[in-house]
């Protein structure tokens, strides 16, 4: 481990912990508070609930688990956050947190269902409809899909343009009645209400209109591209909630 290993900007996690996480290598250890990370490094993977190859942590408040395929992401706030929207569009745009807050806000309450089995019932979300942001950039006639990138530098996701225009797909600014926390992918994450949790990319940094669906991180590792709850991934979860 080189001492010049980059640190995670703004992370409260101490250097020793960060180095330990980096040393954990490709297995990665999930984002979360420093205490969780400490516990995780003691306890290691919990059970076998995690076919994604991630390390599931101790359940956190509201029975969410923090998932991250990276060891974390930079912290971003009003000053540093920017969402780039481009690709096959008429007018590429960069939206600040203030820009997103100034757009019409939509609230909804939906279960959050991870493909590995855990579910958090009736989670309140709010934010901007993805459809509104897509309208603002005017997708070209050739655009048929949307690719999402995370400012964690690794995670990606995709939706067809039709799915992306669904009214229950939000660029979420709040979750659980508070601003989306850093560990949950704040300040801005996607929430795709009708699909498994892996579609809800955390630390949303980029939206790119594409002429074909570009499979995302987990889709490249065997998960379904069309990830509707109860109709995909061989699962029979109740999609009506
Ligand atoms: N950037 C990023 N987004 C991500 C993930 C990830 O590892 N990195 N994991 C996905 C998966 S599999 C799930 S279930 C949810 C978990 O969200 P949470 O950490 O807020 O509980 O985030 C999704 N979005
Ligand atoms: Mo998940």
């Amino acid at each position: 481990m080189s001492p010049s290993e980059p640190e995670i900007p703004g992370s409260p996690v101490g250097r020793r912990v960060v180095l330990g996480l980096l040393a954990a290598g490709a297995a990665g250890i999930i984002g979360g508070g420093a205490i969780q990370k400490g516990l995780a490094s003691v306890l290691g993977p919990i059970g076998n609930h995690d076919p994604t190859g991630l390390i599931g942590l101790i359940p956190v408040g509201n029975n969410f688990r923090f998932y991250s395929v990276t060891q974390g992401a930079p912290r971003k706030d009003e000053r540093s956050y920017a969402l780039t929207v481009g690709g096959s569009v008429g007018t590429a745009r960069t939206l600040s947190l203030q820009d997103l807050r100034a757009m019409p806000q939509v609230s909804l309450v939906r279960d959050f269902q991870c493909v590995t089995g855990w579910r958090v019932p009736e989670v309140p979300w709010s934010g901007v409809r993805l459809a509104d942001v897509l309208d603002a950039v005017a997708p070209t006639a050739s655009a048929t899909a949307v690719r999402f990138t995370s400012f964690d530098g690794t995670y990606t996701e995709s939706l067809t343009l039709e799915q992306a225009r669904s009214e229950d797909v939000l660029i979420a600014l709040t979750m659980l009645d508070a601003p989306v926390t850093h560990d949950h992918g704040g300040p801005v994450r996607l929430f795709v209400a009708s699909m498994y949790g892996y579609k809800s990319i955390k630390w949303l940094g980029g939206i790119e209109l594409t002429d074909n669906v570009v499979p995302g991180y987990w889709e490249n590792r065997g998960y379904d591209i069309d990830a509707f709850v109860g109709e995909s991934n061989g699962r029979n979860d109740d999609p009506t909630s």
Side-chain angles (χ1 to χ4, degrees):
M1 186 63 54
S2 142
S4 63
E5 199 69 58
E7 300 214 24
I8 302 166
S11 170
V13 178
R15 181 168 179 79
R16 267 190 72 212
V17 176
V18 172
L19 291 176
L21 292 170
L22 292 169
I29 293 187
I30 311 313
I35 293 167
Q36 271 199 327
K37 284 179 177 167
L39 285 170
S41 58
V42 172
L43 298 174
I46 297 169
N48 193 29
H49 70 274
D50 189 6
T52 59
L54 298 174
I55 298 172
L57 289 188
I58 307 149
V60 293
N62 302 293
N63 300 316
F64 269 94
R65 291 162 190 270
F66 291 123
Y67 270 84
S68 175
V69 300
T70 60
Q71 77 270 23
R75 281 179 190 262
K76 296 203 187 260
D77 59 17
E78 282 80 1
R79 282 188 300 280
S80 53
Y81 181 77
L83 175 61
T84 59
V85 192
S88 297
V89 299
T91 323
R93 294 190 57 179
T94 300
L95 300 172
S96 67
L97 209 43
Q98 290 88 332
D99 292 332
L100 290 168
R101 286 179 184 144
M103 294 180 71
Q105 305 293 302
V106 175
S107 299
L108 53 85
V109 176
R110 294 287 292 272
D111 290 4
F112 190 86
Q113 172 78 57
C114 173
V115 73
T116 61
W118 56 272
R119 170 185 289 218
V120 186
E122 299 185 6
V123 180
W125 299 86
S126 77
V128 177
R129 278 208 175 103
L130 177 59
D132 289 349
V133 168
L134 296 175
D135 286 347
V137 296
T140 64
S142 65
T144 65
V146 185
R147 176 171 183 264
F148 305 93
T149 53
S150 169
F151 61 79
D152 69 11
T154 300
Y155 203 85
T156 58
E157 254 309 331
S158 69
L159 291 171
T160 67
L161 187 50
E162 189 189 354
Q163 291 164 357
R165 285 190 161 130
S166 166
E167 62 179 24
D168 61 2
V169 176
L170 297 189
I171 296 175
L173 304 179
T174 82
M175 170 183 174
L176 300 165
D177 294 320
V180 179
T181 64
H182 174 74
D183 290 332
H184 279 307
V188 179
R189 76 179 295 172
L190 197 68
F191 177 55
V192 184
S194 59
M195 295 195 181
Y196 286 104
Y198 61 88
K199 286 285 177 178
S200 294
I201 187 171
K202 309 204 299 185
W203 306 298
L204 180 64
I207 297 177
E208 186 191 348
L209 279 290
T210 56
D211 298 350
N212 297 103
V213 170
V214 181
Y217 184 93
W218 285 121
E219 285 102 62
N220 284 328
R221 290 160 177 78
Y223 286 83
D224 287 350
I225 294 175
D226 290 329
F228 291 104
V229 173
E231 296 172 31
S232 66
N233 295 292
R235 295 185 60 90
N236 62 0
D237 304 291
D238 177 5
T240 58
S241 55

